[in-house]
Amino acid sequence: MRLRRCAGLWFEPRESSAFDLDELLAGGSGVVTRVAWLVHAPHLDAAIEVDAGEVAMLGGVSPEEWIDGARLRADLGDSRVRRWLRQGLLVGRRGSKAGLREADDRYRQQHWHGLAAQLHARSRWHGEDAVQGMAQSGTDTAPGLRERHGPPPPVLVDRGDHASPVALPRVDPTAFDRLLDARSSCRNFDRSALLPMAQFARVMWRAFGARAVVPAAADFEVLKKAVPSGGAMHPTEAYVVVQRVEGLEPGFYHYRPVEHALAPMPRGGAMDGLASFARVAVAGQQYFADAQVLVVLAPRFARNFWKYRDHAKAYRVCILDVGHLSQTLFLSATEQGLGAFITAAINEVDIEQAFGLTGYVDGPLAVCGFGLRADRMTTPELDPNHKAWPPSR
Ligand SMILES: Cc1cc2nc3c(=O)[nH]c(=O)nc-3n(C[C@H](O)[C@H](O)[C@H](O)COP(=O)(O)O)c2cc1C
């Protein structure tokens, strides 16, 4: 069998310290430090530990050329080669572990920049509770943050000739200023009200709808949307969790931007219900999970990376695209008198499992949501000028 190394490896020397009684009794500090070599590969679920000598051995196997397996076994040792094949660090051209080879092939087809792929893969969460974590560390309030971290960098910075700035004329506010003033992250959704279909449809259309399909070349179309997108590639898909919308069955949907329609999706994963999925998706932030509608923003990376191949900026462009979508959703919701939010504190892996996504092929970068505000604010929001509260309904 011919073998090669999987693509996109990164070796991390990770230092950890542990208490050791023997070390203390021997007159030392009692703290033993060790360095573990971890191998990260974006298409694998977790990092794999190797020893220091294996770093050079694995690094020395070509990720491109197929090498005779017998020769590799003779050079590196039979059991090591078997272990690495089992773990997916090596792949065979044929034979068992076809799933791992296919995953490696699929990863190669995406054209990720190697470091961006590592960042994306390793910053995904599975079953995290961000609220609990912050409460435990005492960083869930402004005073707690201040106590733990000291004061933040100042809110303003002086640059240039700041003693004699050129004053700009104040502009007369228009309806657009009033819209911007009323935008506020909503953490108080009405837990029982149904969102009217017209409002739901309007926000979806404005944030995600395609206003034109433009032929760019043979077999190459681009969409015109209300948001900019790097290379006009518009890679981001909107996966919708409908909880309470008039006339819509609660469930999972995929938004189709040209037809302005929702394709119902099967509910994957081991979730017992929509409400518990919503809570897991936003990492325990119940105030967001209460929204009538959640929208998972998940780029199909290869749509962007087709143009920006193996490009150091391409992943950044995908993230920026999601930010534009979010702000457009915010303003569209605000214009309708609705509340909206965005969060990056999400359990990407749980969301991928539920929607049948692959992470390195199409993975969530953020979750947005929108809906009707509650009558009363119980979870704090940043609305110092009272433009969002009380809600207009
Ligand atoms: C990318 C991004 C991620 C955010 N993630 C969270 C979050 O996890 N939880 C949360 O309560 N707010 C989150 N926010 C909302 C911010 O806390 C909020 O924008 C900020 O406090 C300012 O309030 P405003 O949006 O009402 O002006 C996020 C905002 C952005 C832009």
Side-chain angles (χ1 to χ4, degrees), residues 7-12 14 38-42 44 46-48 118 122:
L9 285 195
W10 171 54
F11 296 100
E12 179 200 4
R14 189 182 291 176
L38 298 175
V39 187
H40 297 270
L44 300 178
I48 293 167
Q118 298 290 353
R122 292 299 165 248

Side-chain angles (χ1 to χ4, degrees), residues 6-7 41 43-45 48 82-92 95-108 360:
C6 70
H43 69 297
L44 300 178
D45 288 339
I48 293 167
R82 275 175 198 278
R83 171 164 46 95
W84 286 349
L85 268 170
R86 204 171 50 243
Q87 292 171 325
L89 298 176
L90 296 178
V91 285
S96 61
K97 297 285 169 205
L100 286 169
R101 183 181 58 245
E102 277 158 23
D104 179 51
D105 283 346
R106 224 163 156 218
Y107 169 73
R108 288 168 192 263
Y360 57 88

Side-chain angles (χ1 to χ4, degrees), residues 15 37 45 49 57 75 90 147 151 154 159 167 169 175 195 220 222 228 268 277 293 314 349 365 375 378:
E15 187 174 287
W37 279 98
D45 288 339
E49 188 170 346
M57 287 185 205
D75 288 351
L90 296 178
E147 182 164 337
R159 292 273 158 76
L195 178 64
F220 176 15
V222 296
F277 168 75
V293 179
V349 176
L365 293 181
D375 293 336
T378 50

Side-chain angles (χ1 to χ4, degrees), residues 183-185 187 285 287-288 342-345 382:
R183 188 214 57 81
S184 189
S185 295
R187 296 189 189 85
Q285 300 180 90
Y287 39 84
F288 288 160
I342 179 172
T343 175
L382 190 61

